[in-house]
Amino acid sequence: KGFSSVNFFLSLYRFQAFVYFASVFQAMSCGIHYLASVFMAVTPNFVCGIPGNVSSVLFYNSSESSLEDIWTLWTSTENYIVVQLENGEIWELNQCSRSKREMSLDLAYEYKGNKSIFSCSDGFLYDDTKWKSTVVTQWDLVCEREWLAKLIQPTFMLGVLIGAVIFGDIADRLGRQRVIWFTSAGQFVFGIAVAFTFDYYSFVIVRFLLAMVSSGYLVVAFVYVTEFVGIKARTWASMHVHAFFAMGIMIVALVGFLVRTWWVYQICLSIATLPFVLCCWMLPETPFWLLSEERYEDAQKVINIMARWNKVSTPCKVSELCSVQQDDLDGGRMGDNDTSSTKKHNILDLFCNWHIARRTITVWLIWFTGSLGYYVFSLSSVSLGGNEYLNLFLIGAVELPCYIIACIGMDKLGRRNTLIPFLILSALICVLIMFIPQDFNILIILANMAGKFSIGVAFGLIYLYTAELYPTIVRSLAVGSGSMMCRVGSVVAPFCVYLRSVWIFMPLLLVGIMALLSGILTIMLPETLGKPLTNTLVEATEMGRSKKNCSGKTPPAHSGVALEKIEMFGQETVSTEK
């Protein structure tokens, strides 16, 4: 029978439910910090500052006494503003330069006489009708310093990449619990510290550290919850982690609407992590990691706590689990003479033959495209016209049903048959948006929501699909390399969004091309629904060519708890982070 979202929640015991929801609650803070810059680093309308007090302001045929009254009439960055100072001087103010009119007595917008051009040595004047303060206005990240503002999101995503690698490895060495404690506290501490940075460079450095701990938490939290949730509920559990990430995006939109000063906005967003920081010390270490480290007494204590929470009168014994595991592994060795499992594998094994190499290239492309499309649609939402806060909120909200559709599609239609149509659909939507007139704001927003929905289905699905496409001996390697491509996509995405200045549809064109190419190449991937996980590269190769294993044998069966343990460790890294 199909496994629904309702069944997922019903399948969780009390202890697992507490651990799961406590852990995924903090995933909201990851979504918050990942997208916080869309409002914190926004660039409002601006012009050069002036060396004196203003008596009159002229913009075309409109005359006002202050600049604040002119901003509502500002329509293009190519326009300029004419101001008259109290000492009688008349200046033309552009965005990155200013001109002093010579021998001009009358205040008029058009002027054909001589002008003296000056740089913006007196700073800049900003439109504060929407945002009272942003990091751009705080440190004048405009004109020749504009490139510094454009590096804010890419440097954050670089921290995401590095943090996932570092903390993922630390979690395997020191345990999931310690990393969850450290990264949770780090998100709160660094999140608050960002608001009190004294210059641009300290701001970028602290946000880089914030990105590392946020990414590290998301990676380890997924492993943590999947080691507590049963096999049947694991797909839905992973998807709901992504759903909480999307809720974080919605919180960004809400707080951005209510708070218009960047450092107050950052503090409000960081406070969302405080409840979990205060209670995360209650979370135990996972029994699976304790068993892998041969800390049997500690594992038994955690199992006993789980039994008391779940009102199980006779908890299982660690000694029984270990004996079953050892018997199964011994039987597997006797039944299979392939020695490849004892060999150390590297990235080159993902290109061991043409079939596996083609599979790897396709999978990497899907990971890259999913991440690129996800962040292009998210970061571009505030530039679609209309209410930018509502746009971002809707872009986040549309993810919630898309993960449910992904789970249902994977169970009913299969992984490949769900992935292909949604990748191609996202490409078609990108093309469709290009033909929508720019004054049809509502239609453009709805089309972008549809694009985010379709790419979100593909992005959420590829995690599990990758794990099923590769054999046990290189499964973690395959998923890890795919997630690296995912992070490369997240680093490239902000630069892709900046290409709107070249052509407004350039980001959509790039995403559409990548999605179409990925969808076409996915046709060559094998379907994995209902098929057993492969153990060797030979079996994985034959999975794409015939329905039978080339060896004519089925992998040795593992029973009961031992199977769950093996699958737990085999799929630890199935989902990493966005």
Side-chain angles (χ1 to χ4, degrees), residues 103-154:
M103 307 300 293
S104 177
L105 300 177
D106 299 326
L107 182 64
Y109 193 75
E110 300 291 340
Y111 177 72
K112 302 297 184 181
N114 295 328
K115 303 176 186 178
S116 299
I117 300 177
F118 298 88
S119 62
C120 300
S121 57
D122 292 296
F124 299 86
L125 301 174
Y126 296 97
D127 177 10
D128 61 358
T129 54
K130 280 189 176 182
W131 298 280
K132 298 301 181 183
S133 173
T134 71
V135 296
V136 172
T137 64
Q138 180 88 15
W139 296 305
D140 289 336
L141 305 180
V142 294
C143 297
E144 68 272 7
R145 288 169 56 88
E146 181 183 9
W147 66 275
L148 294 174
K150 291 185 176 181
L151 282 180
I152 290 176
Q153 189 65 16

Side-chain angles (χ1 to χ4, degrees), residues 304-336:
N304 292 339
I305 293 174
M306 295 172 64
R308 286 197 299 270
W309 273 67
N310 297 333
K311 297 182 179 180
V312 176
S313 57
T314 56
C316 59
K317 303 296 183 181
V318 169
S319 57
E320 297 174 0
L321 298 180
C322 294
S323 62
V324 171
Q325 171 72 7
Q326 187 62 42
D327 291 343
D328 284 340
L329 290 180
D330 290 342
R333 293 190 191 102
M334 294 175 62
D336 191 350

Side-chain angles (χ1 to χ4, degrees), residues 414-475:
R415 283 72 161 124
R416 183 186 63 180
N417 295 337
T418 302
L419 185 59
I420 293 172
F422 279 102
L423 280 173
I424 295 178
L425 178 61
S426 61
L428 294 176
I429 291 174
C430 288
V431 175
L432 176 64
I433 295 174
M434 298 181 191
F435 291 95
I436 300 177
Q438 289 301 294
D439 53 344
F440 285 53
N441 287 337
I442 295 179
L443 192 57
I444 292 175
I445 293 170
L446 291 176
N448 275 269
M449 289 177 63
K452 177 69 177 295
F453 180 94
S454 58
I455 205 71
V457 171
F459 194 28
L461 187 155
I462 190 58
Y463 291 97
L464 181 60
Y465 191 28
T466 302
E468 295 176 341
L469 284 171
Y470 291 89
T472 303
I473 57 176
V474 294
R475 184 169 297 125

